[in-house]
């Protein structure tokens, strides 16, 4: 794979040299507001109905919005009955209030190993109408989407525990409640609306709970603009230069497939894909591979530049694994209330949440697919290369993670999304000689389903729940993976 791959050792060393000397502070209940957030905090939260609360009005007033994260500490909502003056540690939240514009939210806490056993619900106010939504549940089980334990990403000191993100659209008001519950009661309450509360038997909530409100901003910063908002002239110039360098870095790794700074990698037909594959891997293929490469046609892929990634947010450099032997399919559990035209904003929000709120080096998934079937580049490093992700705890090595935007426990995924899974895996797995209908072995790095060091036999196209005891990618999407495997093999010509 000489044409597609670079030395993982060399690039990893480059990544290490490029790491910032001062990592972001880990969140605590008294976490100071970062300078980049303080700059935007100076702008007061507008009341619904004022001219600049509409999306059109806000964009006219601010032709370029860099994106931001508001971090609000949770406070006790009730008092302990046994000790009336003491706050109740089993119910916390954020009282209804106006806030700066945001489109995605989640809850984070200090210890990434701590679990939130309970129910998280939120109400938001639509910025354009001033209407409050009903209570919505936020998926609390998210620790299974993470870097493997013991890796530099998981031991950086920046990682936090977190819920799944929830997309709510352009909003300017919020109210949140978090209630601790025994595991079975929490599940029953979330799925059936029973309202079960058994606080006496409930475990305490994790320490340092904060509500993260993410504004995705408008696309990538233009050349010469600061990546995270207003700064002094010197800092802005340095930030702009670093952002431009990072953007070039993210684009160069796809240079074999598309021009520098391309917003998309074009689709190829079968003959064109095979010709490109043979040319880029000349001298490294067996006679059988040269005769029948079994690589599916390359699908159209929107690049990071295409969805507006702010490359100044992520950690510099890339980390690779050896090959891609399996694809794990996920859902983002971020809700289905999005339009396909909003997807770039949604991905930018998840990216910012993963990096700024959860403390990861980049977005966790290698690829993202929307309900209209469009495919997007995820974690930086090159779409054809074996980029090490943070998507399936215990099985990130020698695999890739594909996330379908939405929640698919009760809702069926679109046929376009399932077809996109098949087309993407037919191409990417084909580059590494893998049969989408086949089986493979991966060594577990440790999960709640497979002990560390165990060699696990898996489908080449697996669901997240095959590597970790979780509901992801949702019952309805998991049920479509058989169809994706068959179609991917067909696209490869098998």
């Amino acid at each position: 794979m000489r044409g597609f791959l670079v030395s993982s050792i060399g690039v990893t060393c480059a990544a290490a040299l490029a790491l910032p000397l001062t990592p972001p502070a880990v969140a605590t209940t008294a976490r100071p507001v970062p300078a980049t957030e303080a700059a935007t905090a100076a702008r007061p939260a507008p009341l619904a109905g004022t001219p600049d609360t509409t999306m059109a009005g806000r964009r006219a007033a601010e032709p370029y919005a860099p994106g931001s994260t508001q971090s609000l500490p949770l406070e006790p909502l009730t008092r302990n009955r046994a000790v009336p003056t003491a706050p109740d540690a089993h119910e916390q939240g954020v009282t209804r209030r106006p806030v700066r514009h945001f489109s995605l939210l989640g809850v984070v806490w200090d210890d990434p190993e701590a679990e939130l056993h309970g129910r998280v619900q939120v109400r938001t106010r639509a910025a354009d109408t001033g209407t409050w939504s009903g209570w919505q549940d936020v998926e609390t089980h998210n620790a299974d989407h993470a870097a493997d334990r013991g890796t530099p990403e998981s031991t950086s000191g920046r990682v936090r525990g977190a819920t799944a993100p929830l997309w709510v659209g352009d909003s300017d008001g919020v109210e949140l409640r978090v209630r601790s519950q025994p595991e079975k009661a929490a599940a029953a309450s979330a799925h059936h609306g029973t309202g079960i509360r058994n606080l006496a038997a409930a475990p305490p909530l994790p320490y340092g709970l904060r509500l993260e409100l993410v504004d995705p901003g408008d696309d990538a910063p233009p050349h010469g603009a600061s990546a995270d908002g207003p700064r002094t002239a010197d800092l802005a110039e340095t930030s702009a230069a670093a952002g431009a360098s990072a953007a070039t870095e993210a684009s160069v790794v796809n240079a074999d497939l598309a021009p520098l700074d391309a917003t998309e990698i074009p689709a190829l037909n079968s003959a064109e894909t095979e010709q490109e594959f043979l040319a880029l891997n000349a001298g490294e293929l067996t006679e059988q591979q040269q005769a029948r490469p079994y690589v599916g046609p390359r699908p159209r892929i929107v690049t990071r530049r295409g969805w507006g990634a702010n490359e100044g947010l992520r950690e510099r450099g890339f980390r690779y694994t050896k090959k891609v032997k399996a694809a794990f399919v996920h859902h983002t559990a971020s809700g289905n209330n999005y339009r396909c035209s909003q997807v770039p904003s949604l991905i930018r929000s998840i990216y910012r949440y993963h990096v700024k709120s959860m403390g990861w080096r980049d977005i966790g998934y290698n690829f993202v697919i929307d309900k209209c079937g469009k495919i997007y580049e995820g974690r930086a490093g090159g779409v054809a290369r074996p980029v090490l992700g943070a998507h399936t705890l215990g099985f990130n090595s020698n695999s890739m993670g594909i996330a379908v935007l939405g929640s698919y426990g009760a809702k069926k995924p679109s046929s376009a999304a399932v077809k996109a899974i098949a087309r993407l895996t037919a191409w990417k797995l084909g580059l590494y000689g893998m049969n989408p209908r086949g089986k493979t072995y991966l060594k577990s790095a440790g999960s709640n389903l497979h002990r560390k060091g165990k060699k696990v036999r898996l489908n080449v196209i697996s669901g997240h729940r095959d590597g970790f005891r979780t509901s992801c990618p949702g019952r309805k999407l998991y049920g479509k993976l058989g169809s994706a495997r068959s179609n991917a093999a067909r696209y490869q010509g098998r």
Side-chain angles (χ1 to χ4, degrees):
M1 301 296 296
R2 180 175 56 206
F4 285 118
L5 308 182
V6 297
S7 168
S8 57
I9 297 176
V11 177
T12 301
C13 292
L17 291 173
L19 292 177
L21 296 177
T22 307
V26 175
T28 67
T29 53
R31 188 181 74 178
V33 178
T36 57
E37 294 179 17
T40 53
R43 182 177 63 191
L47 297 176
T50 56
D52 65 341
T53 61
T54 65
M55 180 64 76
R58 186 158 64 98
R59 295 302 182 245
E62 303 174 38
Y64 166 64
S68 64
T69 300
Q70 302 170 71
S71 188
L72 308 178
L74 271 61
E75 299 176 349
L77 296 179
T78 61
R79 293 287 172 179
N80 190 317
R81 293 180 181 179
V83 185
T85 58
D88 193 331
H90 296 90
E91 188 168 8
Q92 298 182 35
V94 172
T95 55
R96 184 185 297 197
R97 66 187 65 181
V99 292
R100 300 194 312 277
H101 285 258
F102 70 97
S103 297
L104 178 139
L105 59 86
V107 174
V108 300
W109 53 91
D110 292 351
D111 183 1
E113 296 297 323
E115 295 186 40
L116 196 165
H117 295 290
R119 191 176 187 185
V120 177
Q121 292 182 298
V122 68
R123 299 180 65 197
T124 56
R125 184 175 65 185
D128 56 350
T129 65
T131 303
W132 283 90
S133 71
W135 288 103
Q136 300 183 74
D137 284 296
V138 179
E139 175 60 59
T140 59
H141 298 288
N142 195 47
D144 45 324
H145 300 78
D148 293 338
R149 293 186 177 96
T151 59
E153 185 167 6
S154 69
T155 59
S156 66
R158 301 189 298 267
V159 179
R160 307 180 188 109
T163 67
L166 178 68
W167 175 261
V168 294
D170 191 30
S171 304
D172 63 4
V174 70
E175 181 179 5
L176 176 81
R177 62 190 184 197
V178 179
R179 292 172 175 168
S180 176
Q181 296 174 334
E183 191 67 11
K184 291 183 179 179
S189 181
H191 292 292
H192 303 294
T194 60
I196 294 174
R197 293 183 65 191
N198 185 9
L199 300 183
L205 293 170
Y207 179 75
L209 289 167
R210 303 185 73 90
L211 173 62
E212 304 284 290
L213 305 175
V214 180
D215 178 358
D218 292 339
D219 302 322
H223 289 297
S226 175
D228 247 332
R231 301 186 182 192
T232 65
D234 289 344
L235 284 177
E237 184 176 351
T238 301
S239 175
S245 175
T248 300
E249 175 188 63
S251 184
V252 164
V253 287
N254 288 318
D256 286 336
L257 311 179
L260 193 66
D261 293 333
T263 58
E264 68 176 55
I265 295 168
L268 300 179
N269 61 32
S270 295
E272 291 169 335
T273 301
E274 289 189 7
Q275 183 179 7
E276 178 184 72
F277 175 72
L278 295 173
L280 292 172
N281 295 278
E284 296 185 0
L285 303 176
T286 65
E287 290 184 8
Q288 184 177 1
Q289 287 176 313
Q290 293 178 39
R292 295 296 301 270
Y294 291 119
V295 179
R298 188 179 75 197
R300 174 177 176 262
I301 302 171
V302 178
T303 65
R304 290 171 64 90
R305 185 172 183 82
W307 55 260
N310 179 345
E311 300 295 352
L313 292 181
R314 65 174 174 84
E315 198 173 280
R316 291 293 299 274
F318 312 117
R319 294 196 178 119
Y320 296 97
T321 185
K322 292 181 180 179
K323 59 180 70 174
V324 179
K325 297 173 63 179
F328 285 98
V329 177
H330 305 256
H331 68 169
T332 56
S334 52
N336 302 307
N337 296 323
Y338 69 89
R339 300 187 302 274
C340 290
S341 61
Q342 296 175 310
V343 168
S345 293
L346 175 50
I347 298 176
R348 290 198 302 274
S349 297
I350 293 175
Y351 169 46
R352 177 174 279 272
Y353 184 68
H354 282 183
V355 176
K356 289 291 189 181
S357 300
M358 297 179 66
W360 294 359
R361 72 188 314 271
D362 195 349
I363 190 171
Y365 309 112
N366 298 103
F367 295 93
V368 178
I369 293 173
D370 68 23
K371 58 188 175 184
C372 291
K374 187 175 288 187
I375 301 169
Y376 301 81
E377 178 182 14
R379 180 164 286 207
V383 296
R385 302 183 183 188
V387 179
L388 181 64
H391 49 82
T392 307
L393 182 61
F395 292 95
N396 290 303
S397 292
N398 296 328
S399 72
M400 68 175 179
I402 302 169
V404 181
L405 292 170
S407 303
Y408 298 103
K411 183 178 178 60
K412 290 182 179 180
S414 67
S415 58
V418 177
K419 182 178 180 180
I421 293 172
R423 288 201 173 277
L424 175 59
T425 52
W427 173 70
K428 183 66 180 276
L429 292 171
L431 298 179
Y432 295 86
M434 301 305 297
N435 182 346
R437 276 199 305 247
K439 304 281 186 179
T440 190
Y441 282 91
L442 294 180
K443 182 185 288 187
S444 172
S447 76
N448 65 0
L449 195 59
H450 302 289
R451 61 174 174 79
K452 183 177 181 179
K454 180 181 178 182
K455 290 186 178 180
V456 182
R457 188 170 185 257
L458 296 161
N459 288 310
V460 169
I461 299 178
S462 285
H464 187 180
R465 64 176 61 182
D466 295 319
F468 197 100
R469 189 175 291 109
T470 175
S471 62
C472 183
R475 181 172 58 89
K476 295 292 187 178
L477 178 54
Y478 188 77
K480 294 293 185 179
L481 296 188
S483 172
R485 294 183 192 108
S486 298
N487 286 331
R490 179 169 57 84
Y491 291 142
Q492 288 187 350
R494 295 183 185 271

